[in-house]
Amino acid sequence: MPLELAYRYFGGEGKPPLVILHGLFGSSRNWTSAGKLLARSFEVFALDMRGHGDSPFAPPPMRDYSFKTMASDVRAWLSARGVNHPILLGHSLGGKVAMRLAVDQPKLVRALVAADIAPRDYPPHHTVAFAAMRSLDLAALNSRQEAEQKLRALLNDENLARFLLTNLVREVDAGFRWRVDVAGLYAALPELSRSSLAPGETYPGPTLFLRGDQSDYVRDGDRPLIAAHFPRHQILALGRAGHNLHVDQPAAFTAALEYFALDLE
């Protein structure tokens, strides 16, 4: 059963709708800066996928984080909010979900944008991040600063520690909790590391693959696979950008989407 997804609205009423799906450990709030820039040309909605941000976790005992289920959440959200024929933009994990929805429901999607992700299997990422988050004793934490110090020591990566801490919230009289379903998503990691598409599945609509030139998530060797699934595709690399290309190069990222949308008119 689809879950009701939380979202943020960044404006642009009356313009072509753009729906954004974030990556693993992310949420709609990570798209605030880019979303405001994109709203000059699009009506921008950023969703929190199940198990992330302010959206519900998948219910136990069988927590379902399959790509088809997450895509069905997005489809239900589009229907409930009356958002018709949007450009669907997915980053990393969100890109896999966006590909799944576009293939399953091509008439619902005006165009697809996959940000720094390819339709292939990946080695399991984020195992170290999951281990660090699971090792924190939230009940014993006294402050966010203490949590940051412990994560930085475990990860030896200040930027990653700070990113993960965007998911740590403190409830009045209830202590700290994660806004991301650490246990459920960790259990689903083997599935989430695989491609969301099966051989032979295609989306016939316009598709843009945006990659960071300092990231290895989309490689030259992925081009034949991309072409097989997305016959009307373009691939564009953003300079001086890593995996989080919308953060590293927000102006260039926005311009790329705007030029892509011109071809849709």
Side-chain angles (χ1 to χ4, degrees), residues 27-248:
S27 71
S28 57
R29 70 173 54 195
N30 304 134
W31 285 83
T32 299
S33 296
K36 291 177 179 177
L37 284 177
L38 288 163
R40 70 189 185 189
S41 298
F42 307 97
E43 185 173 23
V44 182
F45 306 87
L47 279 55
D48 289 344
M49 294 194 294
R50 64 167 53 197
H52 294 79
D54 294 324
S55 288
F57 291 6
M62 297 296 292
R63 291 187 172 102
D64 187 355
Y65 287 104
S66 68
F67 293 117
K68 279 191 173 289
T69 297
M70 289 191 286
S72 73
D73 290 340
V74 178
R75 180 186 180 187
W77 183 92
L78 293 173
S79 177
R81 298 294 172 182
V83 178
N84 298 314
H85 212 46
I87 298 172
L88 189 59
L89 162 62
H91 172 244
S92 198
L93 174 61
K96 292 186 175 185
V97 176
M99 292 180 210
R100 184 69 262 164
L101 180 57
V103 167
D104 287 344
Q105 301 291 332
K107 293 183 179 179
L108 291 183
V109 180
R110 183 185 183 197
L112 173 67
V113 180
D116 215 54
I117 197 70
R120 62 172 168 89
D121 296 347
Y122 286 79
H125 286 83
H126 309 298
T127 53
V128 173
F130 272 114
M133 295 172 79
R134 297 174 74 205
S135 72
L136 283 188
D137 183 356
L138 300 186
L141 281 180
N142 296 306
S143 67
R144 291 182 62 86
Q145 182 178 13
E146 180 185 351
E148 180 175 354
Q149 290 173 345
K150 290 184 176 181
L151 282 179
R152 287 175 64 178
L154 290 165
L155 297 168
N156 196 28
D157 186 330
E158 180 178 351
N159 291 331
L160 177 57
R162 288 180 175 175
F163 174 63
L164 296 178
L165 282 172
T166 63
N167 291 294
L168 186 66
V169 294
R170 191 172 197 171
E171 305 284 5
V172 177
D173 299 325
F176 288 98
R177 68 173 179 86
W178 293 113
R179 294 191 315 135
V180 62
D181 185 2
V182 176
L185 290 165
Y186 177 72
L189 194 57
E191 179 175 5
L192 297 178
S193 299
R194 294 193 288 268
S195 174
S196 61
L197 304 181
E201 293 185 319
T202 62
Y203 167 63
T207 305
L208 173 64
F209 281 81
L210 278 175
R211 58 173 293 266
D213 71 342
Q214 297 175 5
S215 170
D216 64 355
Y217 272 71
V218 180
R219 303 168 178 169
D220 289 342
D222 295 325
R223 291 177 181 271
L225 187 58
I226 289 171
H229 288 295
F230 303 97
R232 295 177 60 192
H233 76 279
Q234 305 173 43
I235 302 175
L236 178 65
L238 297 187
R240 300 189 302 279
H243 182 54
N244 295 310
L245 61 178
H246 60 292
V247 175
D248 297 336

Side-chain angles (χ1 to χ4, degrees), residues 4-37:
E4 184 175 352
L5 301 182
Y7 72 98
R8 281 180 169 80
Y9 179 66
F10 294 120
E13 184 176 0
K15 298 171 184 175
L18 173 69
V19 174
I20 300 172
L21 307 179
H22 59 78
L24 185 64
F25 299 127
S27 71
S28 57
R29 70 173 54 195
N30 304 134
W31 285 83
T32 299
S33 296
K36 291 177 179 177
L37 284 177

